[in-house]
mmCIF file of all heavy atoms in Angstrom:
data_model
loop_
_atom_site.group_PDB
_atom_site.id
_atom_site.type_symbol
_atom_site.label_atom_id
_atom_site.label_comp_id
_atom_site.label_asym_id
_atom_site.label_seq_id
_atom_site.Cartn_x
_atom_site.Cartn_y
_atom_site.Cartn_z
ATOM 1 N N GLU A 80 -21.957 30.262 -19.693
ATOM 2 C CA GLU A 80 -23.378 30.098 -19.968
ATOM 3 C C GLU A 80 -24.055 29.873 -18.627
ATOM 4 O O GLU A 80 -23.715 28.913 -17.935
ATOM 5 C CB GLU A 80 -23.595 28.853 -20.843
ATOM 6 C CG GLU A 80 -24.098 29.130 -22.201
ATOM 7 C CD GLU A 80 -24.286 27.848 -22.995
ATOM 8 O OE1 GLU A 80 -24.818 26.840 -22.485
ATOM 9 O OE2 GLU A 80 -23.877 27.877 -24.155
ATOM 10 N N GLN A 81 -24.958 30.747 -18.242
ATOM 11 C CA GLN A 81 -25.669 30.641 -16.966
ATOM 12 C C GLN A 81 -24.682 30.519 -15.799
ATOM 13 O O GLN A 81 -24.807 29.654 -14.936
ATOM 14 C CB GLN A 81 -26.650 29.483 -16.996
ATOM 15 C CG GLN A 81 -27.713 29.659 -18.051
ATOM 16 C CD GLN A 81 -28.694 28.511 -18.094
ATOM 17 O OE1 GLN A 81 -28.663 27.587 -17.287
ATOM 18 N NE2 GLN A 81 -29.586 28.553 -19.057
ATOM 19 N N ASN A 82 -23.659 31.377 -15.805
ATOM 20 C CA ASN A 82 -22.636 31.441 -14.761
ATOM 21 C C ASN A 82 -21.804 30.172 -14.626
ATOM 22 O O ASN A 82 -21.263 29.885 -13.567
ATOM 23 C CB ASN A 82 -23.239 31.822 -13.415
ATOM 24 C CG ASN A 82 -23.664 33.268 -13.372
ATOM 25 O OD1 ASN A 82 -23.070 34.114 -14.031
ATOM 26 N ND2 ASN A 82 -24.704 33.564 -12.630
ATOM 27 N N ALA A 83 -21.685 29.402 -15.692
ATOM 28 C CA ALA A 83 -20.836 28.212 -15.718
ATOM 29 C C ALA A 83 -20.202 28.128 -17.099
ATOM 30 O O ALA A 83 -20.637 28.793 -18.039
ATOM 31 C CB ALA A 83 -21.648 26.959 -15.425
ATOM 32 N N ALA A 84 -19.174 27.313 -17.206
ATOM 33 C CA ALA A 84 -18.540 27.129 -18.509
ATOM 34 C C ALA A 84 -19.543 26.514 -19.481
ATOM 35 O O ALA A 84 -20.273 25.579 -19.126
ATOM 36 C CB ALA A 84 -17.322 26.227 -18.390
ATOM 37 N N ALA A 85 -19.590 27.054 -20.685
ATOM 38 C CA ALA A 85 -20.433 26.469 -21.732
ATOM 39 C C ALA A 85 -19.897 25.068 -22.059
ATOM 40 O O ALA A 85 -18.780 24.718 -21.673
ATOM 41 C CB ALA A 85 -20.399 27.360 -22.976
ATOM 42 N N PRO A 86 -20.666 24.242 -22.765
ATOM 43 C CA PRO A 86 -20.166 22.919 -23.128
ATOM 44 C C PRO A 86 -18.794 23.000 -23.813
ATOM 45 O O PRO A 86 -18.499 23.949 -24.539
ATOM 46 C CB PRO A 86 -21.231 22.378 -24.083
ATOM 47 C CG PRO A 86 -22.487 23.075 -23.647
ATOM 48 C CD PRO A 86 -22.039 24.455 -23.230
ATOM 49 N N VAL A 87 -17.979 22.000 -23.557
ATOM 50 C CA VAL A 87 -16.622 21.951 -24.106
ATOM 51 C C VAL A 87 -16.687 21.820 -25.626
ATOM 52 O O VAL A 87 -17.396 20.948 -26.142
ATOM 53 C CB VAL A 87 -15.838 20.761 -23.511
ATOM 54 C CG1 VAL A 87 -14.452 20.661 -24.105
ATOM 55 C CG2 VAL A 87 -15.765 20.890 -22.002
ATOM 56 N N PRO A 88 -15.961 22.688 -26.348
ATOM 57 C CA PRO A 88 -15.940 22.563 -27.804
ATOM 58 C C PRO A 88 -15.341 21.222 -28.233
ATOM 59 O O PRO A 88 -14.500 20.668 -27.518
ATOM 60 C CB PRO A 88 -15.040 23.723 -28.250
ATOM 61 C CG PRO A 88 -14.993 24.661 -27.095
ATOM 62 C CD PRO A 88 -15.174 23.822 -25.877
ATOM 63 N N PRO A 89 -15.756 20.703 -29.382
ATOM 64 C CA PRO A 89 -15.219 19.418 -29.846
ATOM 65 C C PRO A 89 -13.728 19.509 -30.186
ATOM 66 O O PRO A 89 -13.244 20.528 -30.657
ATOM 67 C CB PRO A 89 -16.055 19.081 -31.074
ATOM 68 C CG PRO A 89 -16.840 20.296 -31.407
ATOM 69 C CD PRO A 89 -16.781 21.236 -30.260
ATOM 70 N N SER A 90 -13.038 18.422 -29.941
ATOM 71 C CA SER A 90 -11.605 18.294 -30.250
ATOM 72 C C SER A 90 -11.442 17.473 -31.518
ATOM 73 O O SER A 90 -12.299 16.662 -31.835
ATOM 74 C CB SER A 90 -10.878 17.580 -29.118
ATOM 75 O OG SER A 90 -10.931 18.319 -27.933
ATOM 76 N N PRO A 91 -10.324 17.628 -32.187
ATOM 77 C CA PRO A 91 -9.291 18.646 -31.977
ATOM 78 C C PRO A 91 -9.756 19.980 -32.544
ATOM 79 O O PRO A 91 -10.590 20.030 -33.441
ATOM 80 C CB PRO A 91 -8.099 18.100 -32.743
ATOM 81 C CG PRO A 91 -8.697 17.274 -33.839
ATOM 82 C CD PRO A 91 -9.995 16.728 -33.292
ATOM 83 N N LEU A 92 -9.200 21.054 -31.988
ATOM 84 C CA LEU A 92 -9.547 22.377 -32.495
ATOM 85 C C LEU A 92 -8.301 23.221 -32.668
ATOM 86 O O LEU A 92 -7.243 22.914 -32.122
ATOM 87 C CB LEU A 92 -10.582 23.070 -31.597
ATOM 88 C CG LEU A 92 -10.239 23.392 -30.153
ATOM 89 C CD1 LEU A 92 -9.393 24.643 -30.038
ATOM 90 C CD2 LEU A 92 -11.521 23.618 -29.402
#
Side-chain angles (χ1 to χ4, degrees):
E80 246 180 44
Q81 298 180 5
N82 288 329
V87 178
S90 296
L92 62 80

